[in-house]
Amino acid sequence: MNDDAQLSITQLDDALQHKAVEDFAKFYIPLFDANNLEVMSNFDVAAYMTDINEHLTYGRYMTKAQRLSDTVSFSFTAYLNLIDRLDQKYYTSGNPAQPWDEWLATQFAQIANS
């Protein structure tokens, strides 16, 4: 994680929070569809994931764009709380310190080495 990124997602302004949530949802939805969310379950996030996942299930027949827009709109607060607990810092630009794919790989490596 880059030392220049010191903000939590909740410290970003509203527009940057929305950007960060949408970017995360683009990462999250394919993991949900592949039933590959077990790494996140190592964090205290089950309640947030349950809310997000339930709504994603209802929207499975939407287009990708509709589904993304719908989940971000409907589950914004759950995404915000989920991200806040995943040990990810942000730059003032709203970009994560570590791209989410790299974050996931790091988490898998830590689990493999524990």
Side-chain angles (χ1 to χ4, degrees):
M1 189 176 304
N2 188 313
D3 290 337
D4 292 339
Q6 298 296 321
L7 302 175
S8 71
I9 191 167
T10 58
Q11 293 172 308
L12 299 174
D13 68 34
D14 290 345
L16 292 176
Q17 284 181 1
H18 191 276
K19 175 194 176 303
V21 166
E22 188 171 313
D23 290 345
F24 178 77
K26 290 175 185 174
F27 162 76
Y28 186 93
I29 293 169
L31 293 176
F32 170 80
D33 289 342
N35 198 26
N36 194 16
L37 295 169
E38 63 274 351
V39 167
M40 290 179 207
S41 66
N42 286 327
F43 297 85
D44 185 20
V45 295
Y48 309 116
M49 289 176 64
T50 299
D51 291 345
I52 294 165
N53 295 353
E54 180 178 19
H55 195 72
L56 282 173
T57 299
Y58 295 141
R60 81 174 57 237
Y61 299 107
M62 295 178 180
T63 66
K64 285 184 179 185
Q66 288 171 326
R67 196 171 183 210
L68 176 65
S69 176
D70 184 66
T71 189
V72 168
S73 176
F74 188 85
S75 302
F76 181 81
T77 302
Y79 277 116
L80 199 64
N81 287 312
L82 170 62
I83 296 166
D84 192 39
R85 286 162 178 75
L86 291 181
D87 194 28
Q88 176 76 278
K89 297 294 182 189
Y90 283 84
Y91 297 106
T92 56
S93 65
N95 293 321
Q98 189 175 37
W100 284 108
D101 289 337
E102 289 179 22
W103 176 89
L104 185 63
T106 299
Q107 298 303 314
F108 271 124
Q110 288 175 357
I111 292 168
N113 292 329
S114 61

